């Protein structure tokens, strides 16, 4: 199996000895194409030579033991078939990149060459560089020539026999080694020690180091070089000279980068409602492998999970706890570590490559510190050998779905398949379940348990809708705040309580528009207007990250009447600073949470009550638990409701109920205020009464009527190319071909709302699959049509993207 997007495996030849040594799931280095070297994974060892090509020999065996087990291989195959992607795509996504060593082309000088006159200018530059250093990487050649396309020059040099090239493989993972100090073997008698101190009497610093060493060694623990330096107050060079004198020795121990240090507590005692829920979950598990726990916000679902986890650990099995990416960097890790300490390993994208390798290895070896994996979606790929339980917290979250790049999988659904492979149970938890999961529970496909009481019997927050159209008419708005919202904020501040304000958009204001001619500055690479970021006074594209300084005048008409319209988090923050100058305002969005500890910093400050009002985007809705928040404000509910997507209403409901759930979690009932132009909107009414079932029934009705999931499944096909006409011709051909097979159930072709991104034109087609139509047959047919499409020479350069369950 090679980490490339080609839908097949490849056969390489091995010797008998190699075949005996190799096992499925081990990595081998193999060459592919003319010069490329790849990390391949052994998928099958067999004796059938390929008929269409000659099997090459493998280059090197990279593992002593399989890195990937058979259950994983089965799981990957399912993902590849179901999501219509190559096994290689899954392989590449599954392994931490450090395991996928890559080759690099290295350029060497041919010592025998002396005919410099025949070299062109560029060629000479490379040749000359090789006089100063023995080898060059292609990257260095690129730097030397100052251009990207260097292979023609390199090839020319090879032809002229001036250089030769080799592929060099490099291993990327670096174990973290800690340097320790011990005494050289010749000094273990007391006499020799006295002699030693005598000898050092004139080297004061070195003597200090040795004396401190003896102090520290009374504890019999290994002594870190760094610790000795600090305690003895000497520099690294002092230790080094002692090593040179054969008095000390350095040695190294490999350690994990992430280690839990701290105390653990017992699990909390459950209240009667949680007890009942736990009992019911266990009952459903006798008949069902999947159970949905619908528990309102702050009902204490996490505590229920911990009890289940404990039982599975006691039975000697592993647990996978899936969370949306963002929730992971915050409180839940700490909360679970208090109970399970160093049995937990965490796995998510803000971890470095090396940290991820360590987690992988710990799971592979079933180490005690990898009994519970807390992870984001990609942790479903870890080498579990005996999973007993998977918990999918906030199962409705969109971030479980990977949209780009392939494999475009849904981690919740893939986790269900994974649990089946392990004969494990899986619990989906949410206060606002996805329509599909709730539907499956209603159909008795999943077990179903409810938890309807907030912990401590705190009531769900009081939710009020504020009609901003009315407020504008009566001139009761200050900036983007209604007088009512301001009053509620003031009341909470007076009580020394905290406030969360939700604005589903970052930046200062989404659009800048010329008041004279109405033109808005556009991204040069995408079909979208630029967003204004006031702090840096610049315009940015949220699709391709293009940025430029805010212009003084309109590019179209030249007048200096550029004006901002709409509003984002940054603008809200500034307005608040003016309205409440004595209070501390914080902001949490993509722009303020970059870096590994970005989230923790802001959330930590809010927890420590160093921030009074926190303004943020939807990342505020993900499973946070603050005990002093009494007011949650949603500044503009309408953008969420008007989103052009069949799930917009479901999503808007989930998001608003989740953010509301951050209010009044511990003591008294909280308040939620929602500003809207449309207070009679059904969804807002359902949010204000937290009526999930009514939302569910109504949405389900619409899904049936308009033929959407959970009744119909969908597959989305996207075509992309720089040339508009090419995509257009391609998509029309494709539409007809699909229409011939699926008729009315093919929708499109359409251009998405942003129809050009990074200079690529985009067209979409959606295929709907009716309840009784076979998924497998449909996918086979789509694959056939795709193969024909790609056989057409004109269409071949068009990017063809398939997204199964594209929602
Ligand atoms: P949910 O995940 O359902 O929103 P949490 O598990 O975060 O709810 O619980 C809400 C709050 O109540 C947390 O601060 C939690 O520590 C507390 N809590 C929940 N159950 C218990 C319990 N049995 N004993 C003590 N505190 C609890
Ligand atoms: Zn752009
Ligand atoms: Zn203008």
């Amino acid at each position: 199996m090679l980490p490339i997007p080609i839908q097949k495996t490849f056969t390489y030849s091995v010797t008998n000895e190699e075949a005996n040594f190799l096992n499925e799931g081990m990595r081998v280095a193999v060459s592919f194409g003319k010069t490329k070297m790849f990390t391949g994974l052994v998928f099958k060892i067999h004796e059938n030579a390929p008929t269409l090509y000659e099997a090459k020999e493998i280059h090197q065996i990279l593992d002593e033991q399989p890195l990937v087990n058979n259950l994983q291989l089965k799981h990957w195959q399912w993902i590849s078939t179901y999501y219509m992607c190559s096994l290689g795509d899954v392989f590449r996504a599954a392994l931490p990149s450090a395991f996928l060593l890559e080759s690099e082309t290295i350029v060497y000088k041919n010592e025998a060459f002396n005919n410099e006159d025949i070299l062109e200018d560029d060629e000479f530059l490379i040749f000359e560089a090789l006089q100063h250093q023995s080898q060059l990487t292609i990257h260095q050649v690129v730097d030397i020539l100052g251009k990207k396309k260097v292979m023609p020059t390199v090839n020319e040099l090879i032809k002229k026999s001036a250089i030769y090239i080799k592929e060099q493989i490099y291993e990327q993972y670096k174990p973290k080694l800690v340097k320790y100090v011990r005494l050289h073997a010749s000094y273990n008698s007391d006499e020799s020690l006295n002699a030693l101190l005598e000898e050092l009497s004139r080297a004061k610093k070195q003597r200090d180091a040795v004396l401190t060493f003896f102090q520290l060694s009374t504890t019999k623990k290994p002594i870190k070089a760094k610790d000795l330096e600090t305690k003895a107050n000497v520099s690294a060079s002092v230790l080094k000279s002692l090593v040179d004198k054969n008095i000390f020795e350095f040695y190294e121990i490999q350690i994990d980068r992430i280690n839990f240090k701290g105390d653990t507590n017992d699990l909390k005692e459950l209240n009667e409602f949680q007890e009942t829920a736990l009992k019911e979950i266990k009952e459903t598990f006798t008949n069902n492998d999947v159970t949905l726990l619908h528990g309102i916000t702050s009902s204490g679902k996490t505590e229920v999970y911990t009890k289940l986890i404990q039982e599975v650990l006691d039975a000697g099995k592993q647990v996978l706890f899936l969370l949306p990416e963002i929730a992971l960097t915050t409180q839940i890790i700490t909360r679970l570590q208090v109970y399970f300490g160093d049995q937990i390993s965490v796995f998510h994208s803000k971890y470095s490559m090396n940290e991820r390798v360590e987690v992988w290895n710990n799971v592979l070896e079933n180490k005690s510190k990898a009994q519970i994996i807390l992870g984001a979606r990609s942790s479903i790929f870890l080498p579990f050998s005996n999973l007993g339980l998977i918990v999918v917290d906030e199962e409705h979250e969109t971030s479980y779905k990977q949209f780009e790049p392939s494999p475009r999988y849904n981690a919740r659904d893939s986790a269900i398949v994974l649990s089946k492979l392990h004969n494990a149970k899986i619990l989906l938890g949410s206060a606002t379940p996805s329509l599909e999961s709730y539907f499956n529970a209603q159909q008795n496909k999943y077990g179903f348990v409810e938890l309807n009481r907030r912990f401590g019997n705190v009531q769900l927050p009081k939710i009020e809708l504020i009609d901003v159209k009315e407020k504008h008419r009566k001139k009761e708005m200050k900036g983007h705040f209604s007088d009512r919202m301001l009053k509620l904020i003031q009341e909470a501040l007076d009580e020394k309580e905290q406030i969360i304000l939700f604005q589903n958009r970052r930046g200062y204001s989404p659009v800048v528009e010329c008041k004279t001619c109405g033109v808005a500055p556009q991204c040069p690479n995408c079909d979208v207007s630029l967003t204004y970021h006031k702090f840096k006074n610049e315009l940015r594209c949220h699709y391709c990250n293009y940025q430029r300084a805010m212009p003084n005048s309109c590019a179209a008409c030249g007048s200096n009447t550029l004006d901002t319209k709409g509003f984002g988090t940054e603008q809200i923050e500034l307005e608040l600073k003016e309205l409440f100058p004595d209070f501390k305002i914080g902001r949490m969005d993509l722009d303020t949470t970059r870096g590994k500890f970005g989230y923790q910093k802001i959330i930590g400050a809010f927890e420590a009550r160093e921030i009074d009002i926190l303004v943020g985007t939807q990342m505020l809705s993900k499973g946070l638990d603050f005990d002093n928040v009494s007011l949650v404000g949603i500044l503009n509910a309408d953008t969420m409701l008007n989103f052009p997507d069949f799930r917009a209403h479901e999503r808007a409901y989930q998001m608003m109920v989740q953010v509301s759930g951050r209010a009044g979690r511990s003591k008294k009932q909280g308040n939620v205020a929602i500003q809207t132009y449309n207070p009679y909107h059904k969804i807002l009414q359902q949010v204000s009464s937290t009526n999930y079932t009514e939302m569910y029934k109504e949405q389900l009705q619409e899904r049936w009527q308009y033929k959407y999931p959970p009744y119909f499944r969908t597959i989305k096909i996207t075509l992309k190319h720089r040339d508009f006409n090419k995509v257009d011709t391609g998509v029309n051909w494709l539409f007809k071909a699909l229409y011939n097979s699926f008729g009315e159930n093919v929708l499109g072709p359409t251009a998405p709302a942003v129809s050009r991104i990074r200079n690529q034109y985009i067209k979409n087609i959606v295929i709907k699959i009716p309840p009784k139509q076979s998924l497998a047959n449909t996918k086979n047919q789509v694959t056939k049509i795709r193969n024909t499409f790609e056989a057409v020479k004109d269409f071949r350069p068009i990017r063809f993207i398939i997204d199964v369950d594209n929602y």
Side-chain angles (χ1 to χ4, degrees):
M1 187 190 302
L2 297 183
I4 53 176
I6 296 179
Q7 186 55 292
K8 56 179 168 180
T9 51
F10 300 86
T11 300
Y12 285 81
S13 78
V14 289
T15 64
N16 271 329
E17 290 78 57
E18 286 169 337
N20 287 335
F21 180 80
L22 281 172
N23 263 315
E24 288 161 12
M26 284 186 183
R27 292 172 308 153
V28 288
V30 295
S31 66
F32 187 77
K34 278 214 186 76
T35 59
K36 260 290 188 213
M37 196 70 86
F38 276 119
T39 302
L41 197 73
V42 178
F43 188 64
K44 202 190 256 173
I45 301 158
H46 61 83
E47 299 194 320
N48 310 318
T51 47
L52 293 176
Y53 56 95
E54 177 145 12
K56 289 188 200 166
E57 284 172 17
I58 63 165
H59 184 276
Q60 194 184 334
I61 298 177
L62 297 170
D63 293 315
E64 304 266 320
Q65 300 287 335
L67 195 69
V68 170
N69 64 39
N70 278 320
L71 289 173
Q72 284 174 286
L73 290 178
K74 279 194 191 140
H75 191 222
W76 295 4
Q77 269 177 294
W78 179 85
I79 290 178
S80 141
T81 314
Y82 187 86
Y83 293 105
M84 302 178 77
C85 63
S86 82
L87 212 45
D89 281 345
V90 188
F91 173 35
R92 183 176 272 286
L95 257 58
S97 57
F99 285 132
L100 295 168
L101 43 96
E102 287 187 20
S103 67
E104 171 145 49
T105 309
I106 310 284
V107 179
Y108 299 88
K109 177 175 65 167
N110 182 0
E111 296 295 345
F113 180 81
N114 53 16
N115 193 4
E116 291 172 22
D117 298 344
I118 63 168
L119 299 182
E120 304 287 326
D121 286 356
D122 274 0
E123 296 163 18
F124 184 75
L125 282 177
I126 300 175
F127 182 76
E128 189 191 45
L130 282 170
Q131 308 300 316
H132 305 298
Q133 57 192 103
S134 59
Q135 57 182 64
L136 291 171
T137 65
I138 291 294
H139 285 291
Q140 290 169 318
V141 173
V142 167
D143 283 344
I144 291 167
L145 299 186
K147 59 179 184 186
K148 285 245 171 62
K149 214 170 170 190
V150 299
M151 281 323 275
T153 317
V154 170
N155 287 334
E156 199 54 37
L157 278 165
I158 297 173
K159 236 198 262 161
K160 292 178 179 169
S161 298
I163 61 163
Y164 62 98
I165 58 173
K166 266 194 202 164
E167 286 294 301
Q168 184 168 306
I169 301 178
Y170 53 91
E171 185 98 46
Q172 297 173 304
Y173 169 65
K174 289 193 187 57
K176 179 159 180 177
L177 297 174
V178 174
K179 208 194 242 177
Y180 287 83
V181 188
R182 66 184 163 218
L183 211 53
H184 198 275
S186 56
Y187 291 100
N188 37 24
S189 72
D190 282 350
E191 287 151 58
S192 49
L193 285 176
N194 282 329
L196 167 61
L197 291 173
E198 193 66 21
E199 189 189 321
L200 293 176
S201 60
R202 257 178 279 151
K204 185 172 172 308
K205 282 280 167 194
Q206 296 183 11
R207 196 159 184 264
D208 286 353
V210 173
L211 282 173
T212 313
F213 177 86
F214 283 115
Q215 254 171 23
L216 291 174
S217 53
T218 51
T219 64
K220 300 249 181 317
K221 279 199 206 130
I223 298 170
K224 287 185 191 152
K226 269 268 163 302
D227 288 352
L228 183 55
E229 284 166 26
T230 355
K231 295 255 163 61
N233 193 20
V234 298
S235 66
S237 64
V238 171
L239 298 193
K240 176 79 171 40
S241 40
L242 284 164
V243 169
D244 290 343
K245 286 185 180 170
N246 277 334
I247 296 170
F248 279 166
E249 265 175 0
F250 287 139
Y251 64 106
E252 286 174 328
I253 298 180
Q254 185 180 336
I255 58 153
D256 279 357
R257 287 173 166 76
I258 307 257
N259 284 299
F260 172 75
K261 301 186 196 71
D263 298 328
T264 53
N265 289 337
D266 290 341
L267 299 189
K268 291 202 168 102
E269 196 76 40
L270 297 186
N271 67 22
E272 57 179 307
F273 307 103
Q274 291 170 313
E275 259 330 323
T276 314
L278 178 65
K279 202 173 108 245
E280 287 174 1
I281 292 170
K282 288 200 254 175
E283 276 166 19
T284 60
F285 278 160
T286 54
N287 296 317
N288 295 86
D289 294 328
V290 190
T291 289
L292 174 66
L293 170 62
H294 180 203
I296 59 173
T297 54
S298 204
S299 56
K301 294 185 286 297
T302 317
E303 309 298 332
V304 176
Y305 302 149
T306 59
K307 297 281 176 182
L308 281 173
I309 291 171
Q310 188 60 61
E311 288 182 18
V312 174
L313 291 183
D314 292 343
K317 298 199 157 192
Q318 300 164 312
V319 176
L320 169 61
F321 194 117
L322 283 173
L323 278 160
E325 183 77 48
I326 294 163
L328 265 172
T329 46
T330 56
Q331 301 163 319
I332 191 109
I333 304 178
T334 328
R335 245 175 105 183
L336 291 176
Q337 272 174 341
V338 166
Y339 300 136
F340 299 110
D342 54 11
Q343 289 170 289
I344 296 183
S345 289
V346 181
F347 191 79
H348 68 92
S349 70
K350 284 211 173 173
Y351 271 32
S352 74
M353 178 182 82
N354 288 320
E355 288 161 354
R356 280 189 263 177
V357 166
E358 279 158 14
V359 175
W360 182 286
N361 286 333
N362 290 338
V363 176
L364 185 66
E365 292 159 30
N366 198 6
K367 289 231 181 103
S368 64
K369 67 187 290 181
Q371 294 307 299
I372 307 174
I373 298 298
L374 225 80
R377 61 173 182 246
S378 63
S379 49
I380 59 163
F381 294 121
L382 286 167
F384 298 104
S385 46
N386 74 352
L387 270 177
L389 173 71
I390 303 178
V391 175
V392 186
D393 194 21
E394 314 285 357
E395 69 84 33
H396 64 280
E397 269 291 330
T398 10
S399 63
Y400 284 126
K401 169 82 165 96
Q402 169 148 320
F403 289 100
E404 194 62 37
S406 169
R408 300 180 171 80
Y409 65 102
N410 182 311
R412 177 199 58 210
D413 299 342
S414 306
I416 291 176
V417 175
L418 183 66
S419 71
K420 291 227 158 74
L421 288 170
H422 282 263
N423 281 322
K425 300 294 175 189
I426 176 164
L427 182 65
L428 314 178
S430 174
T432 53
S434 64
L435 237 56
E436 311 93 84
S437 295
Y438 203 84
F439 181 73
N440 281 331
Q442 299 295 307
Q443 304 282 307
N444 294 325
K445 252 179 90 179
Y446 298 169
F448 182 63
V449 175
E450 280 183 300
L451 191 49
N452 285 325
R453 217 55 93 91
R454 279 196 144 186
F455 181 76
N457 253 333
V458 187
Q459 297 214 316
L460 278 173
K462 247 192 289 171
I463 302 182
E464 70 178 79
L465 301 170
I466 301 170
D467 184 345
V468 278
K469 207 195 289 166
E470 184 77 8
K471 293 283 176 193
H472 272 297
R473 202 174 53 78
K474 294 194 184 153
K475 307 238 175 313
E476 289 168 346
M477 294 291 289
K478 254 194 203 151
H480 294 96
F481 293 89
S482 58
D483 58 345
R484 177 67 188 152
M485 184 72 90
L486 289 175
K487 180 158 179 283
L488 288 168
I489 294 175
Q490 190 61 58
E491 279 171 9
L493 290 174
D494 290 344
E495 295 287 316
K496 303 218 166 359
E497 292 159 349
Q498 290 167 293
I499 297 147
I500 289 178
L501 293 176
F502 175 76
Q503 169 55 29
N504 203 14
R505 223 173 217 171
R506 65 200 166 96
Y508 181 77
S509 101
V511 215
V512 174
E513 204 180 88
C514 173
K515 271 189 182 161
T516 310
C517 72
V519 167
Q522 300 285 308
C523 174
N525 313 317
C526 311
D527 178 23
V528 71
S529 305
L530 294 167
T531 302
Y532 179 48
H533 286 243
K534 180 162 183 153
F535 179 63
K536 291 196 165 159
N537 195 36
E538 66 184 15
L539 294 171
R540 254 189 245 170
C541 172
H542 286 186
Y543 287 85
C544 73
N545 260 332
Y546 167 88
Q547 38 200 284
R548 59 176 282 201
M550 171 76 176
N552 290 322
S553 55
C554 169
C557 74
S559 34
N560 55 356
T561 48
L562 286 176
D563 191 23
T564 54
K565 282 178 74 181
F567 60 113
T569 41
E570 199 184 343
Q571 180 165 11
I572 297 300
E573 183 192 9
L574 288 178
E575 286 183 20
L576 282 168
K577 280 183 174 156
E578 271 174 29
L579 288 162
F580 302 97
D582 301 332
F583 294 88
K584 187 102 181 25
I585 321 288
R587 171 157 66 96
M588 178 159 146
D589 56 28
L590 263 184
D591 296 321
T592 61
T593 54
R594 291 188 208 284
K596 192 160 173 174
F597 300 107
Y599 296 105
Q600 269 110 320
K601 259 208 223 131
I602 296 172
I603 286 174
F606 194 58
E607 268 180 329
R609 307 193 185 177
E610 287 158 17
I611 294 173
D612 301 299
I613 309 178
L614 184 60
V615 186
T617 53
Q618 56 186 345
M619 39 173 97
L620 279 177
S621 67
K622 317 228 177 248
L624 295 169
D625 184 26
F626 302 111
D627 59 3
N628 190 42
V629 173
S630 66
L631 173 66
V632 166
I634 296 176
L635 292 166
N636 176 0
D638 306 301
T639 44
M640 284 183 264
L641 292 167
N642 300 334
F643 207 71
D645 178 278
F646 77 90
R647 302 192 76 166
H649 287 176
E650 177 192 352
R651 288 265 149 76
Y653 178 89
Q654 286 161 340
M655 205 158 344
M656 283 188 262
V657 169
Q658 291 286 349
V659 257
S660 303
R662 303 310 114 205
R665 284 172 76 86
S666 68
K667 298 175 302 242
K668 56 174 201 190
Q669 187 180 23
N671 283 307
V672 175
I674 303 178
Q675 296 190 155
T676 171
Y677 281 89
N678 198 353
Y680 298 104
H681 195 291
K682 286 177 309 195
I683 288 289
L684 290 176
Q685 292 295 328
Q686 288 151 4
V687 168
S688 70
S689 52
T690 321
N691 196 338
Y692 180 87
T693 37
E694 195 185 304
M695 184 281 293
Y696 169 76
K697 281 193 193 129
E698 212 165 82
Q699 291 301 312
L700 205 62
Q701 180 63 37
E702 290 187 5
R703 301 286 175 87
W704 175 250
Q705 196 174 344
Y706 297 105
K707 304 189 170 153
Y708 275 109
Y711 299 106
F712 280 56
R713 308 268 192 142
T714 61
I715 296 177
K716 182 166 127 187
I717 297 177
T718 302
L719 301 186
K720 287 188 185 175
H721 194 268
R722 293 178 79 90
D723 177 351
F724 177 81
N725 288 325
K726 217 183 209 24
V727 199
D728 204 46
T729 329
V731 85
N732 287 328
W733 183 95
L734 184 65
F735 178 79
K736 281 190 198 114
L738 290 166
Y739 190 89
N740 287 339
S741 298
F742 306 113
E744 301 288 308
N745 287 322
V746 188
L747 307 185
T750 55
V754 179
S755 65
R756 182 177 56 115
I757 294 179
R758 293 174 204 273
N759 287 317
Q760 304 261 332
Y761 290 93
I762 307 169
K763 290 278 188 176
N764 290 326
I765 293 176
V766 172
I767 304 162
K768 286 184 171 177
I769 309 170
K772 295 238 161 63
Q773 186 174 316
S774 149
L775 280 182
N777 292 348
T778 309
K779 288 174 185 170
N780 284 340
Q781 184 63 16
V782 172
T783 304
K784 263 191 214 147
I785 295 172
R786 175 186 189 158
N787 291 341
T788 318
F789 180 89
E790 290 183 337
V792 178
K793 193 160 149 279
D794 242 18
F795 297 159
R796 212 169 296 146
I798 301 177
R799 240 187 111 199
F800 193 115
I801 297 166
I802 298 192
D803 191 347
V804 177
D805 297 346
N806 60 303
Y807 44 86

